Amino acid sequence: MSVPNDGSIVGVAPSATPGVSPSAGPAVLPDADQLVRVPFERLRAAWRAQTTPPDVKARLAVLAKLQAWIVAHQEDIAKAISADFGHRSHHETIAAELALAATDLQHTRAQLSSWARPESRATFWGFLPASSRLVRQPLGIVGIVVPWNYPFQLAVMPLTAAIAAGNRVLLKPSELTPRTGELVRAMVKEVFPPDQVDVVTGGADVGGAFARLPFDHLFFTGSTSVGRMVMRAAAENLTPVTLELGGKSPVLVHASYDPARAAESVAAGKLLNAGQTCIAPDYVLIAPERVDAFVKGYERSVTQMYPRIVDNPDYTSIINDRHYARLDALLADAVKKGATVKQINPANEAVGDSRKFFPTLVLGATPDMALMQDEIFGPILPVVAVTSVDDAIRFVNDNPRPLALYYFDDDGARVENVLARTTSGGASVNATLYHMAQHDMPFGGVGASGMGRYHGFDGFRTFSHEKSVFYQTRLNGTASLRPPYGKMFGALMKLFVR
Ligand code: NAD
């Protein structure tokens, strides 16, 4: 497969309809609903035809194959993502796409046998000697919708969990990362039979049709606005959803914490993938007397990490012109409303056609500015002065619940206080981003930043039905619970109702 400069992909259907392979045949190409319906029906037919779902051994074998494919295709994956972005740091792809996906696969493969074992639960004494068990079984056909910002990892990690739980999967990559989408399609073709996992590609129309399919579970990663549409469509089929959404993740820096140290961590978290990260620090709340030191520390950290920006292979481009213009417009709006903008351009470079957006600090941001209302999703960082921790907490709580919250403070009691008084999907203390890389902790949002969770065991649970099973014994006392109600029934009820 080759990728010409115009962004189209040679090797898929020459006519423009996305997701239709040349073998699909008819001159009149199917509309979005048909496009997604065909592979969905194939998966569903295979699900219905199977006598039992794949056992743990079969799941482990296919997960091992998936892991081997990723290890063998690291360079192809990095190249495809970089071509989709214009430029994506190779190191960032290795760490944030491949290492995350591979270590999650390792963790899943090591733990799957114990996760899949039925779990003994207490039986209420009135029913003894019966026993009770929680049995986790696959849900059936799972839909996974993928965004563009980590187009490989955000396909593979939910896929890993869904397959570990024994499901069949239909994946939809983002139309903004077509090369990675085609690579994911190639991966799926090589690793899985077509009636176990399949891929459909396309934009909003295909996404809309996809969300209307009667999946047994729909797993969506993307924006809050599209998440709303997905949930509305899924409601028609009573399809349960996991929504991994975005939002504005705040950073709170206590006045006693070294602002330069905080700035180092915030800059690293903010500039990974040029800020196009769902849990990127969105804005900073800090004491007024610490703003200057934070700004200096941030500029120093950026310069150390990226002495050059445009020329630097480790600084990632903005995904497309539309998003670049959106970031420019956020700054223009902030300036118009009185903010001061500090662009960090250590080597005094020109952007040219690189689509690299210089790291930028915004001072004096106010709530009426668009960049304090919308998720920034780029390397712009507003630094807002707040006079106390209470004010910072109020600020956070006056806004929709964020996906992540970062608090910098060495005082353990204050840390617990801030965590207790704020609600976010996850949090890191004295660090940014790292809570999401812990495979034994669930990852997900709350409120406007999403619902549901995955990673590790929590991903396995998301894609499993947890069935409560009661096992009766031949000898038991439950006859007394049936009419005609006798003395034993009365005595038992007296014991229960008290
Ligand atoms: P998006 O919502 O625009 O698109 C996401 C996916 O949904 C794409 O595949 C798109 O084609 C599809 N889609 C579009 N319209 C649809 C519809 N009507 N029905 C169903 N699917 C539809 O998001 P994006 O711009 O690709 O990604 C950026 C957003 O994703 C940011 O808000 C970011 O914070 C969020 N995000 C969240 C996480 C997380 O784990 N919580 C991770 C990465 C990104």
Side-chain angles (χ1 to χ4, degrees), residues 176-222:
L176 299 193
T177 48
R179 295 157 184 90
T180 315
E182 286 308 318
L183 202 65
V184 166
R185 186 200 293 282
M187 172 186 82
V188 161
K189 223 172 169 177
E190 284 173 44
V191 174
F192 303 95
D195 63 1
Q196 188 180 13
V197 182
D198 212 340
V199 176
V200 290
T201 52
D205 56 337
V206 174
F210 193 92
R212 287 192 291 274
L213 290 171
F215 286 112
D216 296 298
H217 192 95
L218 186 49
F219 186 101
F220 170 83
T221 306

Side-chain angles (χ1 to χ4, degrees), residues 396-436:
V396 171
N397 289 341
D398 280 348
N399 284 291
R401 289 176 163 174
L403 184 56
L405 179 141
Y406 304 112
Y407 185 50
F408 289 85
D409 189 350
D410 285 324
D411 182 290
R414 272 197 310 256
V415 167
E416 293 315 313
N417 183 264
V418 168
L419 293 175
R421 291 169 63 196
T422 53
T423 306
S424 57
S428 287
V429 177
N430 299 336
T432 57
L433 312 185
Y434 295 153
H435 62 282
M436 83 80 68

Side-chain angles (χ1 to χ4, degrees), residues 146 148-149 172 175 207 220-223 244-246 278 375 443:
V146 187
W148 54 263
N149 64 328
K172 196 203 88 59
E175 68 279 20
F220 170 83
T221 306
S223 58
E244 298 282 345
L245 310 178
C278 57
E375 180 182 14
F443 179 76

Side-chain angles (χ1 to χ4, degrees), residues 344-357:
I344 308 172
N345 181 0
N348 214 11
E349 293 162 285
V351 176
D353 58 3
S354 67
R355 245 187 2 251
K356 293 205 175 176
F357 199 98

Side-chain angles (χ1 to χ4, degrees), residues 36-54 58 62 65 138 140-142 159 162-163 166-171 185 187-199 215-216:
V36 297
R37 186 53 84 165
V38 171
F40 175 81
E41 291 299 352
R42 186 162 51 227
L43 293 168
R44 196 151 67 165
W47 174 265
R48 286 175 179 160
Q50 72 192 6
T51 44
T52 52
V62 79
K65 223 172 141 189
I141 317 301
V142 167
L159 175 65
I163 292 298
N167 298 283
R168 288 167 197 264
V169 178
L170 190 57
L171 261 169
R185 186 200 293 282
M187 172 186 82
V188 161
K189 223 172 169 177
E190 284 173 44
V191 174
F192 303 95
D195 63 1
Q196 188 180 13
V197 182
D198 212 340
V199 176
F215 286 112
D216 296 298

Side-chain angles (χ1 to χ4, degrees), residues 267-415:
K270 181 72 175 182
L271 299 180
L272 178 80
N273 208 26
Q276 301 164 107
T277 302
C278 57
I279 50 168
D282 192 274
Y283 62 92
V284 175
L285 302 173
I286 191 166
E289 69 275 16
R290 299 302 233 173
V291 169
D292 279 353
F294 182 89
V295 166
K296 283 203 181 73
Y298 193 85
E299 286 172 326
R300 197 168 43 245
S301 301
V302 172
T303 307
Q304 267 165 14
M305 288 190 290
Y306 308 103
R308 304 182 69 79
I309 302 286
V310 178
D311 267 5
N312 193 329
D314 273 331
Y315 196 80
T316 293
S317 298
I318 299 303
I319 185 76
N320 60 21
D321 291 340
R322 185 171 60 83
H323 277 280
Y324 203 96
R326 179 184 63 78
L327 293 170
D328 268 340
L330 286 180
L331 287 183
D333 173 73
V335 169
K336 200 173 86 191
K337 291 174 179 156
T340 306
V341 166
K342 275 174 140 330
Q343 194 188 59
I344 308 172
N345 181 0
N348 214 11
E349 293 162 285
V351 176
D353 58 3
S354 67
R355 245 187 2 251
K356 293 205 175 176
F357 199 98
F358 291 112
T360 306
L361 288 163
V362 177
L363 303 175
T366 49
D368 60 323
M369 297 176 184
L371 90 175
M372 290 308 293
Q373 293 163 5
D374 306 337
E375 180 182 14
I376 294 174
F377 224 55
I380 300 172
L381 185 72
V383 180
V384 179
V386 284
T387 46
S388 67
V389 173
D390 282 351
D391 279 354
I393 291 173
R394 208 166 300 125
F395 194 101
V396 171
N397 289 341
D398 280 348
N399 284 291
R401 289 176 163 174
L403 184 56
L405 179 141
Y406 304 112
Y407 185 50
F408 289 85
D409 189 350
D410 285 324
D411 182 290
R414 272 197 310 256
V415 167

Side-chain angles (χ1 to χ4, degrees), residues 457-487:
F457 184 45
D458 296 280
F460 177 81
R461 289 186 63 197
T462 286
F463 292 113
S464 298
H465 169 55
E466 301 192 311
K467 185 154 70 184
S468 296
V469 185
F470 176 83
Y471 293 85
Q472 184 62 292
T473 46
R474 186 178 286 266
L475 278 176
N476 62 72
T478 51
S480 59
L481 297 176
R482 295 194 280 265
Y485 299 113
K487 275 194 181 144

